[in-house]
Structure formats: structure tokens, C-alpha cells
Amino acid sequence: MSINKRIAFGLMAWLMIAGSVSAFAQQQKVIIDTDIGDDIDDVLAVGLALSSPELNILGVSSAWGDTELRSKMLDRLLCETGRSDIPVATGVKTATNNRLTQEAWAKAGEVHPHGNAVDFLLEQIQKNPGEVTLIAIGPLTNVGAAIDRDPVTFRKLKRVVLMGGSVRSGYDEFFGLREARPTEAEYNIAMDPAAAQKLVKSGVPIYMMPLDSTQLKFDEVKRAMLNTVSTPLTDSLQVLIAEWQHGAHQTTPTMFDAVAVAYTLQPELCPVTSLHINVDDKGFTREGSGAANVNVCLSSDSDQFFRFFMPRLVGQKLSGTSSCVAK
């Protein structure tokens, strides 16, 4: 049976069970810290989280670069999907040469006030000690700032699930055609190695989804499934993917950050190995001797991932009730 037929069967199964998820079922409390707007995988990751009733999303914070514009993009996404009840907090603004490929869509949204991301994270940990999972899918500047501000409170996180690092394999620029992929300084870690160093020493349980396991391709056949439905989320994703393709001069999204959200929901999609990971000053994440300090997913199965991902994305009925575009 082809992967696309298996995804279709998965979609039917998801539609059958989605309505049976009780509003009173135990939900995971999560905060998502994201550099949404550059690569396309962030919005796919947030879309998966919004489509998953198992998650109680306490808030979403913007990370790296023009964090206020990223927050504006998050505002619009949450408005379009009827989830404006989720707070958006703006992270530490940094210098960057990156251009937001989805800038046009973000700028068209309405302007809203935002709180401070570091304040928000620490406040939520204090309110929910030992219960909050931080899903970190961007450079770790906000995380480092929170550790600097209050390491004792930060240590009360339940865990950090992050997309970042390159442990045994580097970037796959040739769609798996190149066998040797030497390790590299992966972007999310390399943009702020000092923050990553603080995190691995923080004492919080860390679950790392590195390049080794996250380079799953959202190919044209799978993307075409978005055309089979029309919801505010799938319609927005169609536009955002097109903006990313134009701005990045690429055609096929890589699912990097979405794997971190998928792991949070269903850990068997990316089994982890406990390793001792050192982060050097250039952002390399190297295996070392000593006690394990990071749980690392070194491989994943693309078919299993998309059988999980596609039914949720296509089966969701998220919808807002108000205009989300500035007049």
C-alpha cells in the first residue's frame, strides 16, 4: 500500500475519533517558542499543535530577529484558526540577516499588544510547577534569558522538547542522495550557542530532535492533500508555503520543527537515546563522555510521521469568527 493511501486511511480514522476526544481529557500544558516566518516548518509545527486537542497551549512566544513582526504573524494565525484566546508574547529582539519569507502575510494582520516572552515563561512555570513542557523550535535566546533571570524557576519546567543540533548527521541538501552527511552547527543552536550551553546545564529534562531525525520532506504529493479541504488553517498554509517558496527559492518544505511537536504528542514517532551532549562556542552539539544530559532522537520514520501529521492537519475544523486583517 502506498504512503498516500495509508495517509488517507489514517485521515478517515482520525476523523472518526477526533470528535470523541473529551474536553475533560488530560491535556499536556505547553508553551511554544518559535522563530516563525523565516522557514516554513514553524507554521507547520504550530498548525499541528493547534490541531491537537491533547495540548493545552498556555501561550506562544516569538524568538530571534524581528520578534514583534513574528508576534504579529502569530496573532494572525491564531485569529484565523479561532484561537485568539492563546496569549502571544514577544521575545528578545536580535540582529539578524534573515528576511522573513512570510513577511507580507504577517504584516497584513492586525496590531495587538504583547507581553514579554521571558516574563511570560517564568510566570507560567511558577503557576504550573513541574507541569509545563516548553517546545523550543527557534534559536534559544529567550531560553537563555529566562535561565539568567531565574534558574530556580526555570528548573521547574517538566521538560524542554527542542528542534536543534546535529549529533551524527548534518544537513541533507540532496534529498538523501548523499550518503555522508558530516555534522554541522545547526541553525537553532548556532545562532545562540551560549543559550544552548546554559540549557544543557540547567538540570531540566531535555528531548532533542536534531538534524539526524527531522529532515522529512513535505513533498508535492502530500502538499496536494491540502487542496482536498478548505479551512482557515489549510488555506493560510497554502499561501504561506507559496510565500516561502518565492522568498527562499525552494520548493519542498522540510519538517524540522514539526517533528518536535509530533514527539511531544506521540514519543514513539522519534525514539530517543540518552547521551551526554556538549555544545561548543560555534554551536556544534557533540557527543561526549559523562552522565547523559540530553535525550536525543537519532532517527525517525517518514511514513509513520506523515501518517500521524496529515490526518490532523487535513481533519481539523479550526475557524475564527472575526476579521484578522488590518483595515
Side-chain angles (χ1 to χ4, degrees), residues 26 83 152 203 207 214 315:
Q26 185 66 37
R83 292 307 312 271
V152 174
Y207 296 82
T214 59

Side-chain angles (χ1 to χ4, degrees), residues 121-274:
L121 173 60
L122 293 172
E123 288 167 2
Q124 291 302 313
I125 298 170
Q126 290 168 349
K127 290 178 182 178
N128 305 279
E131 298 180 8
V132 177
T133 293
L134 174 63
I135 304 175
I137 52 175
L140 297 168
T141 303
N142 293 336
V143 172
I147 295 170
D148 287 341
R149 174 99 53 90
D150 191 343
V152 174
T153 294
F154 187 85
R155 202 172 297 120
K156 294 178 183 177
L157 275 170
K158 178 180 179 180
R159 58 179 178 168
V160 174
V161 178
L162 68 92
M163 187 280 134
S166 169
V167 178
R168 297 178 185 174
S169 297
Y171 283 102
D172 180 7
E173 298 175 352
F174 299 95
F175 291 77
L177 298 177
R178 183 182 67 172
E179 290 186 9
R181 292 188 288 151
T183 59
E184 303 177 56
E186 183 276 327
Y187 178 85
N188 284 347
I189 305 298
M191 291 302 97
D192 196 338
Q197 290 168 348
K198 293 169 188 175
L199 176 60
V200 298
K201 296 175 183 177
S202 69
V204 174
I206 300 168
Y207 296 82
M208 176 184 284
M209 310 294 120
L211 295 180
D212 309 61
S213 56
T214 59
Q215 298 185 82
L216 311 180
K217 304 302 180 183
F218 193 25
D219 63 35
E220 185 177 2
V221 174
K222 298 182 186 73
R223 295 198 306 275
M225 293 185 70
L226 296 180
N227 296 326
T228 65
V229 296
S230 178
T231 71
L233 177 58
T234 57
D235 293 349
S236 296
L237 289 175
Q238 296 273 38
V239 174
L240 291 167
I241 289 171
E243 287 192 4
W244 169 78
Q245 289 172 326
H246 176 75
H249 306 292
Q250 299 182 52
T251 57
T252 302
T254 303
M255 301 303 289
F256 301 114
D257 294 341
V259 176
V261 175
Y263 174 84
T264 304
L265 290 157
Q266 194 165 310
E268 54 267 33
L269 290 172
C270 212
V272 296
T273 300
S274 296

Side-chain angles (χ1 to χ4, degrees), residues 69-80:
L69 183 55
R70 297 191 199 280
S71 289
K72 192 173 183 181
M73 181 173 175
L74 288 165
D75 284 333
R76 183 174 177 188
L77 181 64
L78 294 173
C79 177
E80 296 283 0

Side-chain angles (χ1 to χ4, degrees), residues 298-312:
L298 294 170
S299 65
S300 61
D301 184 285
S302 180
D303 286 2
Q304 289 182 3
F305 171 83
F306 283 106
R307 284 200 299 270
F308 175 81
F309 176 80
M310 291 304 304
R312 290 182 178 239

